[in-house]
Amino acid sequence: MNKISSIHSDRNIEASQKAYQINEWFFSLQGEGMRAGTANLFLRFSGCNLTCNKEDEGFDCDTEFTSGRKLSLDQIVSELKATATQAEWVILTGGEPSLQIDDALIDRLHGEGYKIAIETNGTKEISPKIDWITVSPKTAEHTIRQKTANELKYVRAYGMGIPKPVVKADHYLISPAFEAENLPQRNLEWCIRLVKENPQWRLSIQMHKSWKIR
Ligand code: SF4
C-alpha cells in the first residue's frame, strides 16, 4: 500500500470506529419552517453547548437531549434504514448537532442516498455540503458563526423583538414560543404583530404539537 492510500485507509478505519452520542431517531413529518409537512428521518444528537431558559432567552428549552447511546456510522445507517426504507431526507437535530457531525457522517449519509438537513443554534460553522440549513439563534448576534442559511428562525415570546440578524438566509421566520405543548395566546399575538410590522419575516408555528406527533 502506498503512503496516500494508507492515509485514506487509516481515515476510513477512524471514521468507522468513531462513535456519535445519539439521543433518538424516528420517522415523522417536519412540523415547522419552510419544509413543514414533509416526511423525514430525524436523528437527534445528545448534548448542547447552551442551556436556554426563560430568564435569559425568554423561553425554556423543551428538548430532552442529555440521554443517549454511542452509535458508530454503520449502526446509525442501519438504524435509519430499519426505521424507514422510503425516507429521502435526514434531519440532524439535537441538542446541538454541530458539536458532533463531521465529514465522515455527512459523506456516508449522502452515499446512502439521503439529502441532509440540519437544525442548529448557529454557534458553530456548518459544512456547506449540508443540503438544507436552519439556523435558530439563541445567543447574541456576535456569537453566531454560521452566517448563511436556507432559513433563519427566531423563537419569540411576548415582548421580545427581532434583532438585526448577522445570518443571510433565503427565508426569515418568527416562531412563537410554546410553554410545554401549549402556545400561549399572547406569544402568538405578539409574533403576528412582529410579522405585520416586519413583512420580510414569516410566521412559523410548531405544527407537530397540534398534530400530536413528534
Ligand atoms: S440551543 Fe436548542 S437544544 Fe440547546 S438548550 Fe437552547 S433550545 Fe435547547
Side-chain angles (χ1 to χ4, degrees):
M1 194 183 292
N2 66 32
K3 197 169 169 198
I4 291 177
S5 54
S6 149
I7 290 169
H8 284 166
S9 148
D10 288 351
R11 282 195 187 139
N12 289 343
I13 291 167
E14 257 174 48
S16 67
Q17 288 173 346
K18 176 175 171 179
Y20 303 82
Q21 189 75 18
I22 305 294
N23 175 279
E24 62 172 348
W25 55 93
F26 54 93
F27 187 49
S28 190
L29 299 192
Q30 170 60 290
E32 57 188 319
M34 301 304 292
R35 298 189 61 256
T38 61
N40 299 264
L41 279 160
F42 289 77
L43 184 62
R44 185 182 301 289
F45 289 78
S46 305
C48 187
N49 53 351
L50 301 180
T51 50
C52 298
N53 60 76
K54 207 163 187 165
E55 204 172 303
D56 298 324
E57 284 78 25
F59 54 87
D60 291 318
C61 176
D62 63 356
T63 311
E64 192 286 297
F65 56 73
T66 48
S67 63
R69 53 187 265 228
K70 285 197 180 302
L71 293 182
S72 68
L73 263 183
D74 284 345
Q75 288 171 314
I76 288 173
V77 168
S78 131
E79 294 291 355
L80 291 178
K81 301 246 178 230
T83 303
T85 49
Q86 70 278 38
E88 294 178 358
W89 282 82
V90 178
I91 298 179
L92 310 176
T93 186
E96 178 45 52
S98 68
L99 303 178
Q100 296 194 62
I101 63 164
D102 54 14
D103 275 353
L105 179 115
I106 294 166
D107 293 345
R108 178 67 186 275
L109 291 179
H110 276 151
E112 297 291 336
Y114 293 117
K115 291 190 193 120
I116 307 172
I118 191 166
E119 297 178 343
T120 175
N121 60 30
T123 51
K124 284 195 72 181
E125 241 180 273
I126 301 297
S127 166
K129 292 182 190 172
I130 300 247
D131 303 288
W132 184 272
I133 298 176
T134 302
V135 176
S136 184
K138 308 292 190 302
T139 49
E141 292 299 302
H142 70 273
T143 64
I144 305 300
R145 295 289 168 267
Q146 177 58 31
K147 302 280 175 61
T148 58
N150 295 93
E151 58 185 8
L152 174 66
K153 180 183 67 188
Y154 285 92
V155 179
R156 300 285 91 164
Y158 177 79
M160 296 172 73
I162 309 174
K164 190 167 183 297
V166 295
V167 179
K168 296 269 172 284
D170 300 327
H171 306 281
Y172 294 86
L173 308 173
I174 295 292
S175 178
F178 274 65
E179 285 177 8
E181 300 307 303
N182 302 313
L183 174 53
Q185 188 63 21
R186 75 178 201 151
N187 287 357
L188 174 61
E189 285 171 7
W190 176 258
C191 289
I192 290 172
R193 181 177 152 183
L194 285 178
V195 171
K196 281 181 173 171
E197 289 172 357
N198 302 275
Q200 71 274 35
W201 295 81
R202 173 193 286 242
L203 189 71
S204 170
I205 308 276
Q206 291 189 313
M207 290 182 286
H208 51 286
K209 293 193 172 165
S210 53
W211 297 341
K212 310 268 188 246
I213 59 171
R214 281 199 291 174

